[in-house]
Amino acid sequence: MTVNLSPTGRVDCRAVIALPMSAVTAWGQLRDFAKYASHDHFHAGFEVEGGRPLAGARLRILHRYGPFRVHRVGRIVRWTEGEGYAFSDLSTAGPRRGFPHVLSYRLEAVDERRCRLHLRVGGRWTAPVPRWAARAWLWWVFASVATRVENELVAFKVARARARP
Amino acid sequence: MSFPVPLLALPVHPRRCRRCYYVLEHLDADRCPECGTGFDFADPATYVTKPPFVWWRYWLPGVALTVGLGVVLYAGLAAAYGYGVAVTIVLPLCLGAILSYGLKTRVWIKIIWSLPALGFIILVLWAVGLGISSGQLGGAVITVGVGTFCGLILFSIALLPMMVGLLIGHLLRLRMKKSAWDQRHYLPVLLLALIPVFAAAVEGRYDALKIVSLDTVAIIDAPPDKAWEAIQFYEEVKHAPPLLLRLSPSLRPVRTSGSSQKVGDIKVCYYERGKLTKRITEVIPGRRLAFAVVGQDHVENENVQLIGGSFELEPLDGGRRTRVRLTTTYRPLLAPRFAWQPAEALAVHTLHGHVLEGMRREAEGVE
């Protein structure tokens, strides 16, 4: 996992998660957009234009910071069936304010039983805090997202193996 | 900002393949892309809406959270405020509620899980107590861990409030399930964890509870002068103490030094951990010997403040037998009293019985 924050505020977080399942199986779960896009601590809910996640659909993202709720907006910038998707998360105050960023998931098949999930967050840090603090914050949030996604998928695989006759 | 097309929430439980649990929403085909099983959204029998059951995800998060919070809160609150009502009663009640709120299962399973959860918390506190029993901070005694006996008593006392808490947490969970409050997953737990903190802060430390005197009486088949000669402190008793007195290293005597013959004499009693310093305050030969505890160093300092004790002898049957009354006076430091007093009485009477048995054996010439 890498977390980069440039002096100009450019954010680039990347993680590669090795999954013990086929890309088809992993995609079968990642398609649950509301669930996997909510693995960020602060994403409390999603509303999608027309109720169907596909490329270009507008989003309204409910963020929750403790007792505080904030609505942000975005768009599903990419939806490739079987491969992955990406969506933007922007402040209602404008596209250059409030940490505009894009979160993306992309699956890469390794063989019939393994795949890799490429997780990426790219954007621009705008909060006036020391760079080391911003980097620590990004590291913590991104690591928890990656961990939760991995745990969710691996737990699914284990549970499905037990549930199948 | 407004949107021309309605924004709709996505389903919380999307429709899935009944065979491999592939999420089927918005697929163009009518067959599962992974296993090829056909489905028809018009027929609910051809799909499922729940993912496969992961049993440890139902139980482990709630249990782990309870145990983690329990260890931190018990250790932190006991160190800061001692074992008062907040730590002894309110904390296990809140932990029971947290456990029950966090477990998505039936009440009887929650009850079953509460026992090892509470047991593990006490076990960790006991392990801490092996290394760090108590210390001084700003003149006040701070408690970090628990001894064996206190740990067992704490577990027993905590069970009932924990069961009550389980019920409260279960009812709260049922209520919150019907609620649309989007913070119901974590905020009630946070509030429940804060309740004992606030309660302890309001309650404060118990440094001035009412002084307690407990006495035990025994009849020795020997005249008072022989009984007087047989007077011995706990540390001087020759036969092995009962199990209860061997549980704590601060009650396992090693040696004594000094004298206890006349007023003003100082006797120091050393244990495997800690020591007591006693000063003789009254000597009426053949009738009464009293002492004050002038130094208490790592001997149950977090539980009691020892004040003193006395031996009183009364002749019976024309001087052929002697009634011996052994008294211990202390200021308790644990609350609520109704919860801790029975255990304290048990420990004190056990110790008295051991001493009196030692006196009896020596006075009566029994091996």
Side-chain angles (χ1 to χ4, degrees), chain B residues 126 129-130 133 146-152 234 241-254 271-274 298-303 347:
Chain B
W126 174 80
L130 284 180
S133 174
V146 295
T148 308
F149 180 60
C150 285
L152 291 169
Y234 163 65
L243 175 63
L244 181 61
L245 300 179
R246 283 182 273 138
L247 287 176
S248 171
S250 60
L251 288 178
R252 292 197 282 259
V254 176
Y271 302 88
E272 285 187 16
R273 185 168 63 191
H298 286 89
V299 178
E300 306 296 322
N301 288 57
E302 61 275 12
N303 302 326

Side-chain angles (χ1 to χ4, degrees), chain B residues 47-104:
Chain B
Y47 60 86
V48 295
T49 56
K50 293 282 180 70
F53 180 68
V54 186
W55 69 268
W56 50 265
R57 283 197 134 190
Y58 264 46
W59 299 343
L60 194 58
V63 176
L65 177 68
T66 303
V67 171
L69 271 177
V71 169
V72 169
L73 288 175
Y74 263 114
L77 293 180
Y81 301 104
Y83 282 90
V85 175
V87 175
T88 308
I89 304 293
V90 177
L91 178 52
L93 188 144
C94 291
L95 288 177
I98 289 171
L99 179 69
S100 188
Y101 190 80
L103 288 186
K104 308 174 189 177

Side-chain angles (χ1 to χ4, degrees), chain B residues 3-21:
Chain B
F3 299 90
V5 178
L7 289 157
L8 304 171
L10 296 173
V12 174
H13 298 296
R15 289 167 288 197
R16 297 169 176 267
C17 173
R18 67 183 187 274
R19 188 162 180 271
C20 71
Y21 302 95

Side-chain angles (χ1 to χ4, degrees), chain B residues 290-314:
Chain B
F291 62 91
V293 176
V294 296
Q296 183 180 352
D297 180 13
H298 286 89
V299 178
E300 306 296 322
N301 288 57
E302 61 275 12
N303 302 326
V304 295
Q305 181 192 348
L306 295 169
I307 295 173
S310 64
F311 294 83
E312 290 181 31
L313 280 62
E314 180 188 347

